[in-house]
Amino acid sequence: MTYSPSTKSQVGNRARSRRGSRAGAALVSALGLLGLSLTALTTAPPAVAATPVAPIDASAMKLTAGDFTGRWAAIDALKASGKVTSFPNDPALTPLLDGTGLTGRSGLCHTSNLDTAHSIGGFCWNTADDTSREWTPQGFTGSHDAQPTGTWNGKYVYMASWHNKANTRARVSVVDNSSPTVAPKYHHILLVDPYGSGAGANYRAVGDPTSGAKPFPGAHADGISWYGNKLFVATGHQIQVYDLRNLLKVNAGTENGPVGIVDGQAQGGGHSWVLPMIGIYSNAPAGSACTDTTPCLTSLSLDRTGTDSLVTSEFAAQGGRPVVRWPLAAADALLDTDGADNHTGQVTANAAYRVPIWKVQGAATDGTYYYFSGECPAYAGTTDSDVPYCIHRAKPGEAPHVLTEAPPLTQNLSWSPSAGRLWGINERADYSVGKRVIFTLNPPN
């Protein structure tokens, strides 16, 4: 059963008195005169708000490591070619945190629907990204995931993943939002997949339909999580891995233009920065069905309580799909596999729970509660993308409850252990005035 809006008890379900029986009979008679049935007036989603976030067997849920070695070789060859600019002597992301870039907006620039009792805040993109038809935001993470201190090179840094309209390209935005009184600055980075070796080394956009890589790297960029120098991106049946120390500067070129080494020049399809994938973990080919042993991975967050783990969830119209924890190895910041190293072999999930909430788009945990972005009970089943989403909260084994309404089509969530705050992002666009926000709140204990 799934978590859906409560419904009224059906009239005449059980007569409690003779008077009630007579009233029910009269109502049925009156409805008959109108050509209506009692059933027609009482049909509604089932009332099952007490359905818990229930533990399920995770032992058969596995991800298999893909090609890391070939991608590492291609990256080394690209750096050695002189066609791209790398930054081997700087801490990761240093060139993006120098105060330059696009200028966002401080504060919640649109209606957020959040309960103001939870000390809410956030920031927004510039108008072009807020209203973009070409790019849609999905995942969210921050330096609170990357380091236990909550900062990166002394700054509060956040990242968001986006996919393009055709799902043939994905990008990540790196945001410096260190001061609440200064507008955030940010850069976009195109995600690319390196291939080849020696003088033939090259790269293509993640999601490029001409790619022969297996598994095929998807570009929906459903979820994102930052762990040390590594960036994980969840898409469908896979978790892609990037090393932020491999950030490359290239010729921006034109939007939707060529990506890769073209006529001896490194091109970024409208982006001055590209980040090459170093490897991939997957549980099924792209486009495969979502099952209890091969769940789809449509959101991503980090849990630093107990064994450091990535947390994935799966979208389903009427809920009932799993949230899953995948263990990480702190030594190399990769998933912890059964191989001789963590770029071979398989990783087995260390916990899973069935989630009754409808249309889950994000999941995160503070170690006690799980937080989910999903449809509000009051709007369950709606096709209106402008209604509020909800943040639901539950302990494992307990039923979820709504913590607050949230921006429409809220996507990924991320927990900041250093600040004790929940962060989130939404994708809903208004192509004239915008509706996209990045928000944060302080949940009650």
Side-chain angles (χ1 to χ4, degrees):
M1 296 181 124
T2 52
Y3 182 49
S4 61
S6 298
T7 55
K8 296 181 180 179
S9 298
Q10 290 191 357
V11 179
N13 208 30
R14 177 177 293 181
R16 300 182 185 274
S17 66
R18 291 183 180 178
R19 177 177 299 173
S21 297
R22 288 195 298 269
L27 177 60
V28 170
S29 177
L31 290 172
L33 292 174
L34 294 173
L36 301 173
S37 70
L38 189 59
T39 301
L41 290 187
T42 57
T43 300
V48 288
T51 305
V53 174
I56 57 177
D57 182 12
S59 62
M61 298 180 183
K62 300 179 185 293
L63 295 168
T64 301
D67 179 17
F68 282 75
T69 304
R71 288 183 170 99
W72 277 325
I75 292 168
D76 288 343
L78 284 166
K79 290 179 179 179
S81 72
K83 297 171 183 175
V84 299
T85 302
S86 60
F87 305 88
N89 300 319
D90 295 330
L93 300 181
T94 296
L96 305 183
L97 302 175
D98 61 357
T100 63
L102 301 169
T103 302
R105 292 167 285 175
S106 299
L108 294 170
C109 58
H110 302 302
T111 300
S112 71
N113 307 307
L114 297 165
D115 186 340
T116 57
H118 298 320
S119 180
I120 63 174
F123 60 90
C124 292
W125 310 109
N126 67 13
T127 300
D129 288 326
D130 192 358
T131 60
S132 175
R133 292 178 181 271
E134 180 63 19
W135 292 96
T136 302
Q138 295 289 291
F140 185 82
T141 186
S143 51
H144 56 257
D145 285 330
Q147 299 283 357
T149 60
T151 60
W152 188 260
N153 295 342
K155 297 176 181 288
Y156 290 97
V157 183
Y158 303 95
M159 294 193 202
S161 61
W162 308 63
H163 66 82
N164 72 347
K165 191 173 182 179
N167 279 317
T168 56
R169 295 186 181 183
R171 74 182 186 190
V172 168
S173 302
V174 176
V175 186
D176 181 355
N177 191 47
S178 296
S179 173
T181 60
V182 177
K185 289 285 190 177
Y186 64 98
H187 294 268
H188 296 309
I189 307 170
L190 187 70
L191 298 181
V192 299
D193 192 15
Y195 64 94
S197 60
N202 208 328
Y203 60 91
R204 59 173 69 90
V206 167
D208 183 335
T210 67
S211 171
K214 296 188 182 301
F216 174 80
H220 198 71
D222 298 279
I224 188 172
S225 195
W226 184 3
Y227 186 60
N229 284 311
K230 303 300 195 304
L231 184 68
F232 296 90
V233 178
T235 295
H237 283 287
Q238 60 194 232
I239 296 178
Q240 301 164 4
V241 191
Y242 301 81
D243 191 324
L244 297 171
R245 294 170 294 188
N246 291 329
L247 178 70
L248 303 176
K249 196 169 196 309
V250 300
N251 299 302
T254 58
E255 184 74 17
N256 295 320
V259 173
I261 308 298
V262 181
D263 296 328
Q265 299 285 321
Q267 301 290 340
H271 298 77
S272 297
W273 306 93
V274 301
L275 185 65
M277 186 189 306
I278 65 168
I280 196 167
Y281 300 94
S282 65
N283 61 13
S288 298
C290 309
T291 73
D292 280 356
T293 55
T294 58
C296 289
L297 316 172
T298 55
S299 80
L300 196 62
S301 65
L302 180 70
D303 178 15
R304 283 190 177 270
T305 61
T307 300
D308 289 354
S309 299
L310 294 178
V311 176
T312 62
S313 67
E314 181 185 313
F315 176 92
Q318 296 191 3
R321 303 304 300 144
V323 59
V324 186
R325 297 178 80 253
W326 306 93
L328 288 158
D332 57 10
L334 295 173
L335 285 170
D336 192 5
T337 73
D338 59 7
D341 47 58
N342 290 318
H343 56 271
T344 59
Q346 290 185 315
V347 57
T348 301
N350 56 14
Y353 304 91
R354 195 172 301 283
V355 182
I357 299 163
W358 291 18
K359 295 184 181 177
V360 169
Q361 298 272 21
T365 180
D366 61 10
T368 300
Y369 291 97
Y370 274 88
Y371 299 86
F372 302 97
S373 59
E375 228 172 34
C376 297
Y379 306 112
T382 183
T383 57
D384 184 354
S385 297
D386 289 318
V387 300
Y389 240 50
C390 276
I391 307 298
H392 308 253
R393 185 169 83 161
K395 294 178 180 179
E398 296 184 1
H401 298 280
V402 172
L403 176 65
T404 179
E405 289 188 345
L409 296 182
T410 292
Q411 299 293 294
N412 277 201
L413 302 177
S414 179
W415 176 256
S416 170
S418 56
R421 297 184 67 86
L422 185 70
W423 286 81
I425 188 171
N426 79 317
E427 72 171 8
R428 181 59 179 156
D430 182 311
Y431 300 125
S432 57
V433 298
K435 285 192 176 182
R436 294 169 174 163
V437 298
I438 297 90
F439 64 88
T440 179
L441 58 91
N442 183 13
N445 294 328

